[in-house]
Structures are given as structure tokens and as C-alpha cells.
């Protein structure tokens, strides 16, 4: 099979035209990959900002595929069934976090496209317990960004709590889905983009943002909560300053540059600053149902598998609206 392989952090991905097909082990399914989203986390892995990826690695954790083979011990999944594979690829199931419904925090968790080979390939294997059925109204390409950008954005949105005015910092794949969830619940969305990104701001307004402007400028109204998707630590004091008393600021990315020192008065008055890590299967099930009900419309740019490096470069340069998706 073909796969795009990371041999060492900081290098471009290498096309392996004859990689050995993985086999479905106990509890696993073999999937024929039809689409795999390109997530900002992939960029952090390729650029070496996340330590200790399993090398050589096939990245990709927004996988939509159909079951080509079923391993021993898998019940209720048939050949040809369409499944999605998210970032959380395995958790231990026995630790306090796992037993308490917080498997996203399991210290032994393994992540797709990081600890486990992912979906930048013709085929991949996945633990059947961590795969989600994809609602039928989404095409493979439309569904791919739901599996991380959508899911992590949903978890961040949920943990931000009640808010009439919601700020979104960074208007990429995650925010373009989160704005639709927020609008569905009647929230007013304020989108902050890279300074001077008029096209990005127009895209945010077209997606339903009430206001869009530069991340450096103050919000026109006090926000009740803010989600930070861009990996820029200086957005944390900016978002706290824009948030009203008692409001919550959620850092939704897996990596962020250092947060500069800021005066305590930005946190005072019961503002809450928190991060969101990974996802649980319960998040996945709830979000897929919600995405189908709204329904979420994803904006995607499709690339052939071999152009994974080009897709990553466009994401790095902020040149994409919505999400890039690889189509093996
Ligand atoms: Zn665990
Ligand atoms: Zn991701």
C-alpha cells in the first residue's frame, strides 16, 4: 500500500509506495482509508513540537474509512461498514481516569497518528472500541474534519459553559465547526484571526460569526467565554482581558507557545483559565449526533495522498479556509 511516512521530526513526509499492509490484530479493524483530515497537531508532530512520536510514523487522526477486515474478538462490525477514527486510539480501561469517564486523561493512552500509525495511507488498523460510525449524510471528505477539529472544538465549547457572547481565537478548521455549534445554540460569536487577515475574517462572518477582527484588537463587547484554537500563548492574556467577570477561557490546542506573564487582575473576578486535552468516546458519540442534527457543513480542500506535504504547508501558512483533507 502507499503511505506518507515521517522518518524524523523536521523533515518532509516521504511517500512509501510499497509499505507492508497492516493486519487487524485482536480487537482491531483494518480500514480502507477514503479520507483523512490534516490537523494542526499533525503539523506540530512533523515540526517536532510534540516530543517522542513513534518513528517512523504514518500521521493522520481524522480518518474515514470502510472496514476491509475484522480482527479476532470484534463483535457487531461488518465488512464494508464506514467508520471514523479519532485522535484517542486506545486507553487502558482500568485506571481511575478511564473508570471515571475521563479516558482522555489516561496516562497510558495511545494516540492515532502519533503513538499509532494513522491515516495518511491507503489502509490503517484501529481499535474497534475507539471508532465511531459516521452519520450517513456526510461524505467521506466532509466527515473527516469532524473527527478532531470538530470533536476537540466541541469538547472545548462544552467546557466553556454557558455563554451568550463567545470568542473564538484562531479561525481554522476547529473554529469553522465550533461557530456552527455555537450559532445552533443561539450564541453570538466573535472571531479573532491573524492581524490583517481580511479573507479569514470574511470567511468567519460567512460561517455565522457576528463580528470578526484582528486578534490584537479588543473585543467590541465583553465576552462570556473564549476558546483559543491558535497555538499562540500571547492570546491567553488577550482573551482573559476580553472576557467578562466569571467567564471561562479554554485553551483547546495540544501545543502552545509560552504564555507571557500577565497581571493577576486579568484572572481576578472568578475568571477561569483551563485547557482541554484529547476526547472521550462519549464526546464522539454526542458530537456525531449533534453534527448530523444541526447539520454541520464543513468547508474542505481535498488533496491527493501524495500531496500531504503541500497540504501541511498550506495549513502552516494560514492559506486554507476550513480544513485540508487527504484522499488516498
Ligand atoms: Zn487508563
Ligand atoms: Zn487533531
Amino acid at each position: 500500500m502507499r503511505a506518507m511516512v515521517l522518518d524524523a521530526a523536521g523533515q518532509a513526509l516521504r511517500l512509501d509506495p510499497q509499505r507492508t499492509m497492516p493486519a487487524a490484530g485482536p480487537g482491531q479493524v483494518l480500514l480502507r482509508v477514503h479520507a483523512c483530515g490534516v490537523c494542526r497537531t499533525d503539523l506540530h508532530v512533523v515540526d517536532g513540537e510534540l516530543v517522542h512520536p513513534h518513528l517512523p510514523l504514518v500521521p493522520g487522526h481524522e480518518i474515514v474509512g470502510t472496514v476491509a477486515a475484522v480482527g479476532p474478538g470484534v463483535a457487531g462490525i461488518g465488512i464494508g461498514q464506514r467508520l471514523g477514527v479519532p485522535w484517542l486510539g486506545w486507553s487502558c480501561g482500568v485506571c481511575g481516569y478511564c473508570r471515571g469517564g475521563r479516558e482522555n486523561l489516561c496516562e497510558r493512552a495511545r494516540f492515532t497518528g502519533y503513538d499509532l500509525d494513522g491515516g495518511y495511507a491507503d489502509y490503517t488498523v484501529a481499535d474497534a472500541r475507539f471508532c465511531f460510525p459516521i452519520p450517513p449524510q456526510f461524505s467521506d471528505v466532509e466527515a473527516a474534519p469532524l473527527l478532531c477539529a470538530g470533536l476537540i472544538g466541541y469538547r472545548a465549547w462544552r467546557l466553556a459553559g454557558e455563554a451568550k457572547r463567545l470568542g473564538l481565537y484562531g479561525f481554522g478548521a476547529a473554529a469553522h465547526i465550533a461557530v456552527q455549534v455555537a450559532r445552533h445554540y443561539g450564541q453570538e460569536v466573535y472571531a479573532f484571526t491573524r492581524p490583517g487577515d481580511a479573507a479569514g475574517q470574511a470567511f468567519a462572518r460567512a460561517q455565522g460569526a457576528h463580528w470578526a477582527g484582528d486578534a490584537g484588537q479588543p473585543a467590541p463587547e465583553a465576552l462570556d467565554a473564549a476558546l483559543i484554537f491558535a497555538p499562540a500563548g500571547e492570546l491567553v492574556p488577550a482573551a482573559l482581558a476580553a472576557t467578562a467577570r466569571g467567564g471561562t477561557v479554554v485553551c483547546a490546542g495540544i501545543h502552545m507557545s509560552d504564555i507571557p506573564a500577565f497581571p493577576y487582575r486579568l484572572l481576578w473576578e472568578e475568571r477561569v483559565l483551563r485547557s482541554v486535552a484529547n476526547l472521550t468516546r462519549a464526546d464522539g458519540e454526542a458530537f456525531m449526533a449533534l453534527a448530523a442534527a444541526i447539520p454541520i457543513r464543513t468547508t474542505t480542500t481535498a488533496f491527493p495522498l501524495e500531496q500531504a506535504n503541500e497540504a501541511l504547508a498550506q495549513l502552516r501558512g494560514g492559506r486554507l479556509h476550513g480544513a485540508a483533507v487527504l484522499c488516498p
Side-chain angles (χ1 to χ4, degrees), residues 1-302:
M1 69 168 189
R2 297 170 308 154
M4 296 299 292
V5 179
L6 178 68
D7 291 313
Q11 288 184 6
L13 302 180
R14 166 180 60 85
L15 173 66
D16 182 348
Q18 284 185 310
R19 191 172 176 85
T20 305
M21 287 262 294
Q28 293 182 325
V29 288
L30 174 70
L31 295 169
R32 171 86 175 88
V33 179
H34 296 295
C36 184
V38 177
C39 176
R40 181 162 290 280
T41 298
D42 301 340
L43 211 50
H44 296 316
V45 171
V46 170
D47 290 347
E49 288 162 330
L50 297 182
V51 291
H52 310 309
H54 143 88
L55 294 173
L57 173 73
V58 178
H61 58 270
E62 298 184 298
I63 306 167
V64 179
T66 46
V67 176
V70 175
V74 175
I77 291 179
I79 303 289
Q81 184 175 346
R82 186 167 72 148
L83 294 175
V85 185
W87 170 244
L88 181 63
W90 186 89
S91 70
C92 81
V94 295
C95 74
Y97 294 118
C98 284
R99 281 185 286 122
R102 296 195 294 165
E103 62 201 9
N104 60 309
L105 301 180
C106 176
E107 291 181 35
R108 293 168 60 201
R110 294 178 201 156
F111 299 104
T112 312
Y114 186 58
D115 303 300
L116 310 164
D117 276 346
Y120 287 18
D122 288 323
Y123 289 86
T124 193
V125 289
D127 187 315
R129 297 169 304 161
F130 291 85
C131 298
F132 304 115
I134 303 288
Q137 68 259 57
F138 297 112
S139 72
D140 298 330
V141 170
E142 286 166 345
L146 300 177
L147 285 152
C148 185
L151 248 168
I152 300 290
Y154 170 73
R155 184 172 175 86
W157 170 83
R158 189 166 68 72
L159 295 183
E162 295 273 309
K164 179 173 182 294
R165 298 193 181 97
L166 177 72
L168 301 179
Y169 286 80
F171 205 86
H176 102 287
I177 297 172
V179 65
Q180 298 177 58
V181 174
R183 295 287 299 129
H184 180 72
Y185 286 98
Q187 295 175 319
E188 225 167 61
V189 172
Y190 294 74
F192 297 83
T193 72
R194 296 178 194 221
D197 183 6
Q201 290 164 16
F203 177 63
R205 282 185 215 100
Q207 292 292 112
H210 174 75
W211 174 92
D214 294 353
Q217 76 187 96
E221 308 269 1
L223 307 173
D224 300 309
L227 314 182
I228 303 179
F229 293 115
E234 65 269 21
L235 294 175
V236 170
L240 283 169
T243 300
R245 298 171 178 213
T248 298
V249 173
V250 183
C251 301
I254 193 169
H255 169 81
M256 185 179 254
S257 58
D258 286 352
I259 301 169
F262 57 85
Y264 177 59
R265 65 178 164 74
L266 295 185
L267 189 61
W268 171 238
E269 294 158 344
E270 302 197 345
R271 289 176 184 84
V272 174
L273 175 63
R274 69 170 303 160
S275 65
V276 150
N278 315 317
L279 70 137
T280 65
R281 282 171 284 178
D283 289 329
E285 281 149 23
F287 175 66
M288 284 298 159
L290 180 62
I294 291 177
I296 297 287
R297 305 249 181 252
T298 55
T299 299
T300 55
T301 305

